[in-house]
Amino acid sequence: MIEYQIRTPDVSHRGQYPGLLRKIAAMPAAEAQATVRHLALTDLFFLGVYVLNRPDANNGWVFARAREVQAAPNGYLDLWARGHYKSSIITNWLTIQDILNDPEMTFGFFSHTRPIAKAFLRQIKQEFERNEWLRELFPDILWDNPRAQAPKWSEDEGIIVKRRGNPKESTVEAWGLVDGQPTSKHFSLLHYDDVVTRES
């Protein structure tokens, strides 16, 4: 396999993506794939909108928030209004990008109750099952048939991607804050999403 030195322009505004995509389409297939893989690893907006196929998120607000999150991803309480893509950008896209950059990492999703957290896990699980392009870009990390090949692949036990280590934690697990927090778990990153509900 040829190793390419990838040089992609710094996209400073959303309107530059169509031209970038045209340039990629004109490349030889192997170079195009290497370029898209590089962009998926380094550009959160590109990963979400183009690789994870979220055209609904192709707007200025999401572009600005994705840049903001990518510049400083951890250690913040993000208080955005409902429906403003914080779960998409942070819990979904950023977790996927983190896994693709380092499959040895482990993630604990925590919500008010476990079924809420499982919904966030489910979205990533289904993306890894159904997004053929994503699996083609990252065959070294994502299983071709995860239901049959992965050591764990369920909402109850979590999901495990291809990794060298064997920690007791799955790559991604989902837990509730009021209905059964885990014991003896040590995740690389904790994501708290929908921890406050109307009932609480």
Side-chain angles (χ1 to χ4, degrees):
M1 181 174 164
I2 299 172
E3 291 291 328
Y4 291 95
Q5 294 290 340
I6 306 299
R7 287 186 296 193
T8 53
D10 182 27
V11 178
S12 58
H13 61 86
R14 195 169 53 94
Q16 292 176 295
Y17 284 105
L20 178 58
L21 291 168
R22 285 192 295 273
K23 288 179 183 176
I24 292 170
M27 293 176 180
E31 186 179 355
Q33 181 148 333
T35 302
V36 171
R37 178 178 166 118
H38 173 77
L39 284 165
L41 293 171
T42 59
D43 186 329
L44 192 59
F45 183 82
F46 181 88
L47 172 69
V49 171
Y50 297 103
V51 179
L52 303 181
N53 194 28
R54 291 289 304 275
D56 60 294
N58 192 356
N59 60 64
W61 166 266
V62 174
F63 178 78
R65 297 293 73 74
R67 283 290 186 269
E68 183 178 74
V69 167
Q70 186 144 12
N74 302 313
Y76 290 88
L77 176 63
D78 296 282
L79 297 175
W80 312 348
R82 287 203 178 274
H84 279 65
Y85 290 89
K86 63 183 174 297
S87 294
S88 293
I89 295 169
I90 300 169
T91 308
N92 187 264
W93 302 357
L94 184 61
T95 301
I96 289 174
Q97 190 178 62
D98 283 344
I99 291 167
L100 298 177
N101 274 292
D102 184 359
E104 303 303 315
M105 291 183 72
T106 58
F107 300 83
F109 286 0
F110 292 85
S111 298
H112 179 64
T113 59
R114 197 171 189 206
I116 298 171
K118 282 183 180 181
F120 295 120
L121 168 60
R122 184 181 311 124
Q123 191 173 12
I124 292 175
K125 177 176 174 286
Q126 290 177 344
E127 196 72 59
F128 289 166
E129 291 171 353
R130 299 175 182 176
N131 191 325
E132 292 181 17
W133 192 24
L134 189 64
R135 291 200 314 272
E136 286 173 10
L137 289 169
F138 296 94
D140 52 324
I141 297 167
L142 303 179
W143 305 100
D144 188 50
N145 182 3
R147 292 181 188 201
Q149 296 170 309
K152 289 184 182 176
W153 201 262
S154 73
E155 292 176 24
D156 287 329
E157 292 191 284
I159 62 172
I160 297 177
V161 299
K162 295 178 184 178
R163 59 189 187 184
R164 295 180 306 277
N166 187 30
K168 63 181 178 298
E169 296 82 13
S170 296
T171 303
V172 185
E173 296 184 19
W175 296 96
L177 293 172
V178 299
D179 60 352
Q181 290 192 49
T183 56
S184 187
K185 295 281 187 175
H186 305 281
F187 298 105
S188 306
L189 273 177
L190 306 176
H191 277 289
Y192 295 92
D193 202 328
D194 284 344
V195 298
V196 178
T197 66
R198 185 174 292 129
E199 293 73 20
S200 67

